[in-house]
Amino acid sequence: YILIISNKTTHKERLSYRQLCPIAKSVGISSFVHKLRHTFASQLVQNDVELYTVSKLLAHISIKMTEIY
């Protein structure tokens, strides 16, 4: 639910995301969700997962967004 966030998320997913961000901010890790996604993507690329697959898992619109990994 946290790693794959797109325009097609369900209400339950959005609610979980909205709940997690304030909690993370209150303990001083306001960029927690972004860091979690970045680490997830970086680990996939380091383990030779194709960029196309990583792009789909992260729900990137363009593979160019994924190429930073």
Side-chain angles (χ1 to χ4, degrees), residues 7-41:
N7 293 334
K8 298 179 183 178
T9 56
T10 66
H11 175 69
K12 182 177 177 183
E13 291 167 333
R14 280 182 269 142
L15 183 61
S16 297
Y17 177 77
R18 287 182 183 155
Q19 289 174 336
L20 182 61
C21 287
I23 293 167
K25 187 175 182 179
S26 72
V27 295
I29 51 174
S30 60
S31 60
F32 173 75
V33 176
H34 174 74
K35 287 179 182 177
L36 192 62
R37 283 175 53 92
H38 182 77
T39 300
F40 173 70

